[in-house]
Amino acid sequence: MPGLSDYFQYSWVIALLLIIAWWKIFKKAGRSGILSLIPIVNTWTLFSIAGLSGVTSLFGYLGAFCLSYATIAFSEMMSILGSVLMLIFLVQAVRVSFNLARKFGHGLGFGFGLLFLAPIFSLIIAFSDDAYLPQA
C-alpha cells in the first residue's frame, strides 16, 4: 500500500511536468518561458496569450487580498469588493480556457478540457505540434 511519501513523490513529478508544459506553452506563444515561473506575471502573461487584458488577471489577487482583509477587520465593504473582484476573475479565467484552446487551433470541447482538466490538456498543448495562432 502506498504511503504518504509516495504521493509526495508523484506530486513532485506532476508539478515538474506542468512547469515544463507551461514553459513550452509560453515559448510557443512567443513569450519568454521564464515568465511562466514568476507569480502574478505568469497569470498576466497567460491572460495576454489568450487575448484578454492582463489587468483582469490582477482582480483575482486583489479579490483574495480584500477577502483576507475583510476576515481580519470584519469589514463588510471589503468582503463585497473582494467577492465582486473574485467573480470577475473567475469569469475571465473561464474565458481564458476557451480562448487558449482557440489560439492553439482547438474547439469548444478542448476548451472544456482545459477548464476542467487543465493539467492534462495543458500537457497536450505543450507537447503537440499545435501552433499558436495570435489572430484566432
Side-chain angles (χ1 to χ4, degrees):
M1 183 166 172
L4 190 57
S5 63
D6 293 330
Y7 290 116
F8 285 127
Q9 289 175 349
Y10 297 137
S11 64
W12 279 107
V13 170
I14 292 169
L16 183 62
L17 278 173
L18 289 175
I19 288 169
I20 294 168
W22 283 108
W23 186 292
K24 289 181 65 106
I25 290 170
F26 276 47
K27 293 294 281 183
K28 279 186 176 185
R31 306 300 201 295
S32 174
I34 196 77
L35 295 176
S36 66
L37 301 177
I38 304 169
I40 300 174
V41 174
N42 60 5
T43 312
W44 182 293
T45 308
L46 181 63
F47 273 58
S48 299
I49 290 170
L52 300 172
S53 172
V55 174
T56 57
S57 70
L58 298 178
F59 288 177
Y61 298 106
L62 293 173
F65 172 77
C66 290
L67 290 172
S68 298
Y69 180 77
T71 58
I72 294 169
F74 303 108
S75 171
E76 188 174 322
M77 185 64 183
M78 288 298 272
S79 178
I80 293 169
L81 178 64
S83 297
V84 168
L85 288 172
M86 289 300 286
L87 183 62
I88 293 169
F89 175 76
L90 288 174
V91 168
Q92 293 296 83
V94 169
R95 288 185 60 205
V96 164
S97 296
F98 292 104
N99 285 4
L100 199 61
R102 191 182 69 230
K103 295 281 185 177
F104 282 97
H106 296 283
L108 188 65
F110 200 88
F112 278 109
L114 275 172
L115 182 62
F116 294 113
L117 298 169
I120 295 168
F121 283 81
S122 60
L123 286 167
I124 291 170
I125 290 175
F127 293 107
S128 69
D129 293 331
D130 299 335
Y132 178 67
L133 309 168
Q135 303 303 332

